[in-house]
């Protein structure tokens, strides 16, 4: 039984009688009642709630060049260098985007990594993701990288069915790999793959305990990246492990003494919970949330980095040096230079994110943009609010489009009853009376605006 101790976190006397040992089971624990496979996964509750414990220093890490390249055409070396520069600019001087990770297996990826290192930026720090072998450790060290990610799958789905090992064999193998990483002079970042389907007390906690012991003995920090590989994590208070995000973060801190700065959350969006799970991880004690630009990643994608910029600002009340206008620059670059199509309804970066179609909405926007715009998108993102023109836009919609267009050319606003606006309005109406069903494009409106301007200037 553990002694009663004064906690240096809560400053209260605490007693925890449990010291979790590895449970080397003969058969894999697959939590079949929770994950029946032929049915929708179940969210179970045991009503055990843990305290929020947000760290003083919370930040973002990036996996655009690793997980973000696993579901799209690979970036060229030049594109990776340019995007890295934009990440540096977005993260600001305080390093809010603290790290980014690269593959190092292809010559193209190594060249991109080396060119990014030559820029000499402190942030984002360049790290890698490699196979767990001495050869790969030496490769990374020779490049000059100081930290690398190492895959250490922790669910029985992976331990038994993918690797064909027992828990004890997996634990011994992982500890040997991490020791090799430290011996090579690298800081290990342990990717606890599939943690939301793992036996938390039977494997995750005992493994984390051994890592913390190794960290103290070697005086080398060992990070734990809690990987919600399948997006099974849930943010709900009282949800049961292994799906409880708060339970995972609390458990790593409370049962394994992993400090906040050594805990990172890596989520996927299979059940639309990527962003809220990442925020929950922050709120319960993880310093880092791992993201990719535009949420591009395997299957349904990762946590969108741009979303966590705004989550941070919402939680802390400031951007801590981040420049959100760069988000628009990044989105434009990725779409125009890499031929990636951003779905138009995507928050913050999609073409329709701050666009309204209804005429009554456009009328409200003309009177006060706060009525239908989530915040000052012009100042914060460099994205003025827009309207699209269709059969329901009305005179107000036409007037809003015309005045936004005039604003860009330095011309004064005109009233919605102005003959120029009525001229365009009558043309739009005639289009739909003739059976048109598609929206009016900006190019068509620009042409019609020039025509109207010439007509009324005579």
């Amino acid at each position: 039984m553990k002694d009663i101790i004064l906690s240096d976190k809560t400053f209260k006397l605490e007693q925890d009688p449990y010291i979790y040992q590895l449970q080397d089971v003969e058969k894999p624990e697959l939590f079949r009642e929770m994950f029946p496979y032929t049915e929708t996964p179940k969210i179970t509750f045991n009503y055990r709630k843990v305290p929020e414990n947000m760290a003083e220093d919370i930040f973002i890490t990036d996996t655009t060049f690793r997980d973000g390249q696993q579901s799209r055409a690979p970036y060229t070396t030049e594109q990776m260098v340019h995007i890295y520069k934009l990440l540096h600019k977005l993260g600001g001087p305080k390093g809010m985007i603290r790290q980014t990770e690269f593959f190092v297996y292809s010559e193209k990826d190594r060249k991109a990594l080396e060119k990014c290192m030559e820029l000499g930026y402190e942030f984002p720090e360049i790290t890698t993701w490699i196979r767990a072998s001495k050869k790969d450790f030496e490769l990374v060290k020779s490049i000059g990288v100081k930290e690398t990610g190492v895959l250490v799958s922790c669910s029985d789905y992976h331990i038994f069915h993918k690797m064909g090992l027992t828990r004890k064999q997996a634990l011994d193998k992982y500890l040997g790999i991490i020791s090799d990483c430290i011996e090579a002079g690298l800081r290990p970042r342990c990717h606890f793959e599939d943690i939301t389907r793992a036996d938390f007390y039977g494997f995750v906690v005992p493994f984390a305990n051994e890592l913390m012991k190794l960290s103290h003995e070697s005086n080398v920090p060992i990070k734990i990246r809690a990987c919600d590989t399948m997006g099974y994590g849930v943010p709900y208070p009282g949800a049961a492990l292994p799906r409880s995000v708060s339970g995972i973060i609390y458990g790593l801190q409370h049962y394994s003494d992993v400090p906040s700065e050594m805990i990172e959350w890596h989520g996927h969006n299979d059940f639309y919970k990527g962003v809220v799970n990442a925020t929950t991880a922050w709120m319960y004690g993880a310093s880092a949330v791992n993201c990719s630009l535009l949420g591009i990643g395997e299957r349904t994608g990762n946590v969108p980095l741009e979303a966590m910029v705004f989550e941070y600002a919402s939680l802390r009340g400031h951007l801590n040096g981040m420049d959100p206008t760069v988000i628009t620059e990044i989105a434009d670059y990725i779409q125009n230079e890499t031929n990636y199509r951003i779905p138009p309804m995507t928050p913050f970066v999609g073409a329709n994110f701050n666009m309204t179609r209804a005429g009554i909405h456009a009328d409200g926007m003309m009177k006060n943009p706060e009525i239908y715009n989530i915040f000052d998108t012009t100042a914060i993102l460099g994205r003025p609010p827009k309207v699209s023109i269709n059969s329901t836009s009305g005179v107000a919609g036409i007037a809003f489009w015309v005045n936004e267009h005039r604003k860009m050319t330095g011309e004064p606003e005109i009233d919605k009853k102005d003959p120029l606006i009525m001229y365009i309005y009558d043309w739009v109406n005639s289009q739909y009376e003739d059976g048109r069903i598609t929206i009016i494009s900006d190019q068509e409106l620009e042409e019609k605006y020039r025509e109207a301007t010439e007509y009324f200037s005579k």
Side-chain angles (χ1 to χ4, degrees):
M1 181 172 290
K2 279 189 177 181
D3 295 330
I4 294 175
I5 60 168
L6 181 66
S7 169
D8 58 4
K9 299 185 182 73
T10 65
F11 303 103
K12 296 176 183 176
L13 290 173
E14 295 183 358
Q15 182 181 29
D16 185 354
Y18 301 108
I19 300 174
Y20 292 100
Q21 303 292 334
L22 177 73
Q23 297 174 25
D24 198 22
V25 296
E26 291 184 10
K27 295 180 180 179
E29 171 57 89
L30 303 179
F31 299 98
R32 276 292 176 218
E33 291 183 356
M34 198 178 291
F35 304 111
Y37 194 61
T38 54
E39 301 173 24
T40 303
K42 315 302 182 190
I43 301 171
T44 62
F45 290 81
N46 57 15
Y47 305 104
R48 294 175 187 166
K49 298 180 181 179
V50 297
E52 290 183 11
N53 186 33
M54 186 181 283
E56 181 179 1
D57 185 24
I58 60 173
F59 50 87
I60 296 166
T61 62
D62 172 70
T63 187
T64 295
F65 306 127
R66 203 269 299 177
D67 215 338
Q69 285 201 105
Q70 294 184 169
S71 67
R72 52 152 294 143
Y75 296 113
T76 66
T77 298
E78 292 72 23
Q79 288 167 349
M80 291 170 77
V81 173
H82 189 80
I83 292 169
Y84 177 72
K85 290 178 180 177
L86 292 175
L87 281 169
H88 169 73
K89 186 177 175 184
L90 171 59
K94 296 180 181 178
M96 278 301 301
I97 302 175
R98 197 67 50 88
Q99 295 178 316
T100 186
E101 60 185 313
F102 286 73
F103 282 127
V104 290
Y105 296 120
S106 74
E107 184 179 347
K108 179 204 70 173
D109 286 331
R110 286 196 300 275
K111 188 176 179 182
L113 184 154
E114 289 164 358
K115 284 187 172 293
C116 289
M117 290 189 76
E118 288 170 5
L119 294 170
Y121 296 153
E122 182 181 5
F123 303 114
E125 179 191 2
I126 292 171
T127 71
T128 56
W129 186 95
I130 60 174
R131 292 179 296 252
S133 73
K134 287 188 177 183
K135 182 180 177 182
D136 285 357
F137 291 142
E138 293 301 331
L139 168 64
V140 171
K141 186 182 177 184
S142 68
I143 294 172
V145 171
K146 296 177 181 177
E147 178 179 308
T148 190
V150 181
L151 186 63
V152 286
S153 306
C154 62
S155 77
D156 286 352
Y157 286 86
H158 289 256
I159 293 171
F160 281 79
H161 292 326
K162 185 174 76 174
M163 298 188 296
L165 301 175
T166 66
R167 290 181 183 178
K168 179 68 165 62
Q169 289 169 335
L171 182 68
D172 291 343
K173 178 182 178 180
Y174 295 157
L175 291 174
I177 290 165
I178 301 306
S179 296
D180 289 343
C181 182
I182 292 171
E183 190 179 323
L186 295 165
R187 301 191 312 261
R189 184 181 63 245
C190 300
H191 292 208
F192 277 41
E193 184 182 20
D194 206 24
I195 198 169
T196 47
R197 285 194 298 182
D199 187 336
F200 192 75
Y201 298 110
F203 185 81
V204 173
V205 169
F207 181 29
N209 287 341
E210 291 298 321
L211 289 176
M212 291 303 100
K213 191 185 302 181
L214 181 58
S215 178
H216 293 310
E217 290 170 356
S218 63
N219 202 30
V220 173
I222 297 177
K223 287 184 184 173
I224 292 177
R225 176 181 286 184
C227 300
D228 185 18
T229 306
M230 304 297 289
Y232 286 129
V234 294
Y236 314 128
L241 287 166
R243 298 189 68 179
S244 170
V245 177
S246 58
I248 289 169
I249 303 303
Y250 172 82
L252 289 172
Q253 288 190 305
H254 188 72
Y255 298 115
S256 298
D257 292 325
V258 186
S260 288
E261 61 271 20
M262 292 295 112
I263 302 176
E264 181 180 34
W265 178 261
H266 171 95
H268 282 262
N269 202 38
D270 297 72
F271 291 91
Y272 281 106
K273 295 185 179 74
V275 172
V276 69
N277 282 342
T279 304
T280 300
W282 261 348
M283 292 179 70
Y284 283 86
S287 279
V289 292
N290 188 238
C291 311
S292 69
L293 287 171
L294 312 185
I296 302 170
E298 196 167 0
R299 297 185 318 280
T300 58
N302 295 74
V303 177
L305 188 147
E306 60 277 9
M308 298 315 293
V309 169
F310 288 101
E311 286 291 280
Y312 178 91
S314 298
L315 290 168
R316 291 291 166 94
H318 56 80
L319 285 156
N320 202 29
M322 289 184 284
D323 180 358
T325 62
V326 182
I327 290 170
T328 301
E329 195 176 344
I330 288 169
D332 289 344
Y333 180 82
I334 289 176
Q335 187 154 253
N336 297 331
E337 299 298 325
T338 76
N339 297 316
Y340 178 82
R341 182 181 174 275
I342 300 173
M345 74 293 294
T346 307
F348 308 128
V349 294
N352 295 347
F353 130 76
N354 61 342
M355 176 184 284
T356 185
R357 288 184 169 85
I360 190 170
H361 290 181
D363 191 50
M365 292 272 279
M366 287 181 68
K367 292 171 179 172
N368 187 335
E370 288 188 52
I371 297 172
Y372 288 111
N373 204 23
I374 61 171
F375 50 63
D376 188 344
T377 56
T378 306
I380 294 173
L381 284 166
R383 289 270 306 264
K386 297 163 62 179
V387 296
S388 66
I389 303 304
N390 58 23
S391 58
T392 66
S393 297
V395 176
I398 305 294
F400 187 90
W401 187 94
V402 167
N403 282 320
E404 284 299 307
H405 184 76
R406 288 172 69 88
K407 206 180 291 181
M408 289 189 290
T409 57
E411 299 172 274
E413 287 191 9
I414 56 178
D415 188 82
K416 67 180 181 180
K417 296 178 182 177
D418 190 284
L420 185 148
I421 287 174
M422 297 308 299
Y423 181 92
I424 299 174
Y425 171 71
D426 290 340
W427 173 77
V428 169
N429 272 351
S430 70
Q431 290 286 301
Y432 290 105
E433 285 169 3
D434 290 342
R436 178 169 180 157
I437 58 172
T438 57
I439 65 168
I440 310 289
S441 69
D442 282 348
Q443 291 81 2
E444 291 174 285
L445 288 166
E446 286 167 7
E447 185 178 331
K448 192 54 60 175
Y449 175 78
R450 282 194 297 270
E451 181 185 300
T453 303
E454 290 172 7
Y455 179 81
F456 287 106
S457 63
K458 292 176 183 177

